[in-house]
Amino acid sequence: MPELPEVEITRRGIEPFVLGKTITAIVVRNPNLRQRVPRDFARRATGRRVKRVTRRGKYLLFECDGGTLIMHLGMSGSLRLIDPKVPPGKHDHLDLVFEGQALRLRDPRRFGLAIWTKKDPLKHPLLAALGVEPLGEQFTPEFLHRTTRRSETGIKQLLMNAKVVVGIGNIYANESLFRAGIHPRALASRLTRARCERLVRAVRETLLAALAAGGSSLRDFVHSDGASGYFQQSYYVYDRAGLPCRACGGAIRTARLGQRSSFYCTNCQS
Ligand SMILES: [Zn+2]
């Protein structure tokens, strides 16, 4: 599932190719995404020139003259730059065509989303309730400490709650908690101020390391044959059940926690 680094790398990958370009056509092959692509979406967004491509949480915002095209990659979506004449695959549900180049959304599980708004996109109902950006100034130890005081969940679930902090899914929650030495089941409300500080630092380091890993894959966005724009990284704990911990050599454990698999080292995380 794309998390914040994957969406940010997507943004950086596509921005140079669409900046200043006009959306000359939109092809919707299957409108049945997480929200049905509105009937008038293509008509309203076609002919607009892209001024900026920004990101809020996992939403990509194509800021255009007269409005914003909001896109979400859902659980399995990816965007690629492609010659629009290349025949679409089964899961290629939508093309934004820019003067001879297309941005093609491939989304096998169809949890993605594409809408047009004339209003301030940050006040759109989908975005208005989002939590703070984990790489932004508001995600501080004070913020995390204050927020965890009134929480009744484990810290991992809190980290993955987009109303608190955006863009951290199962992979980066596991990785951040390992880096911070905090067990995923630890109660959020019991975290000391010092541990909040460690966790904020760990989240930032984890995301920045992922962005650095993704930076080397930016060129993949212009290849029409790649299955997705996602990059490979090596993880400390994620998906490494039974393998030796990279810090202490002990076996990485796994457990189901709130429907998701948690991976952790009992020596390194308490
Ligand atoms: Zn360990």
Side-chain angles (χ1 to χ4, degrees):
M1 184 190 295
E3 298 184 27
L4 187 144
E6 288 78 10
V7 178
E8 176 60 21
I9 289 296
T10 299
R11 188 195 72 73
R12 293 181 192 176
I14 62 180
E15 187 179 41
F17 297 96
V18 305
L19 217 55
K21 301 258 175 69
T22 297
I23 303 172
T24 48
I26 292 178
V27 182
V28 181
R29 295 186 197 88
N30 184 351
N32 298 311
L33 303 183
R34 178 174 117 206
Q35 282 189 4
R36 194 181 162 85
V37 179
R39 244 175 251 284
D40 60 356
F41 170 72
R43 182 179 57 74
R44 293 176 74 196
T46 301
R48 312 284 186 167
R49 199 179 64 89
V50 179
K51 292 192 294 193
R52 286 206 304 166
V53 184
T54 57
R55 179 189 57 74
R56 173 74 177 104
K58 297 199 289 179
Y59 290 90
L60 287 167
L61 308 176
F62 295 79
E63 298 178 18
C64 301
D65 296 321
T68 303
L69 192 158
I70 302 176
M71 190 177 271
H72 194 286
L73 302 176
M75 300 179 73
S76 58
S78 60
L79 282 172
R80 284 171 309 138
L81 281 153
I82 193 169
D83 181 334
K85 291 193 285 292
V86 171
K90 186 180 169 198
H91 303 294
D92 293 339
H93 303 312
L94 189 145
D95 283 1
L96 303 179
V97 185
F98 295 89
E99 306 164 25
Q101 250 191 146
L103 205 50
R104 182 163 285 175
L105 174 68
R106 173 171 292 181
D107 187 3
R109 296 181 66 180
R110 290 193 281 111
F111 277 96
L113 171 150
I115 54 170
W116 174 262
T117 180
K118 282 197 294 191
K119 298 181 185 151
D120 179 354
L122 301 182
K123 295 190 179 140
H124 190 280
L126 288 167
L127 280 76
L130 291 178
V132 303
E133 289 283 337
L135 294 174
E137 288 173 2
Q138 290 174 288
F139 187 58
T140 60
E142 295 73 37
F143 166 83
L144 188 62
H145 193 251
R146 198 171 61 237
T147 307
T148 48
R149 291 317 89 183
R150 44 176 199 264
S151 166
E152 288 170 6
T153 69
I155 184 59
K156 181 163 178 255
Q157 277 158 290
L158 183 126
L159 273 188
M160 292 174 64
N161 181 352
K163 287 181 180 157
V164 175
V165 54
V166 293
I168 304 173
N170 198 33
I171 295 176
Y172 298 114
N174 276 303
E175 291 293 294
S176 299
L177 288 166
F178 175 81
R179 280 188 191 240
I182 297 171
H183 196 285
R185 278 193 207 280
L187 273 181
S189 59
R190 303 279 292 276
L191 286 191
T192 61
R193 172 56 214 255
R195 298 192 107 198
C196 287
E197 202 166 322
R198 280 222 300 280
L199 185 52
V200 164
R201 202 183 321 127
V203 166
R204 288 179 189 272
E205 283 171 3
T206 301
L207 296 177
L208 290 172
L211 286 173
S216 59
S217 73
L218 279 180
R219 61 191 153 71
D220 293 346
F221 286 92
V222 294
H223 290 176
S224 56
D225 51 345
S228 80
Y230 301 135
F231 42 92
Q232 295 297 314
Q233 318 173 51
S234 65
Y235 299 117
Y236 282 111
V237 288
Y238 180 75
D239 208 18
R240 295 192 68 241
L243 294 173
C245 171
R246 297 191 200 280
C248 74
I252 300 297
R253 307 275 187 93
T254 184
R256 296 293 281 181
L257 190 56
Q259 318 290 339
R260 307 301 301 271
S261 293
S262 287
F263 301 91
Y264 53 94
C265 170
T266 46
N267 296 330
C268 297
Q269 292 169 265
S270 56

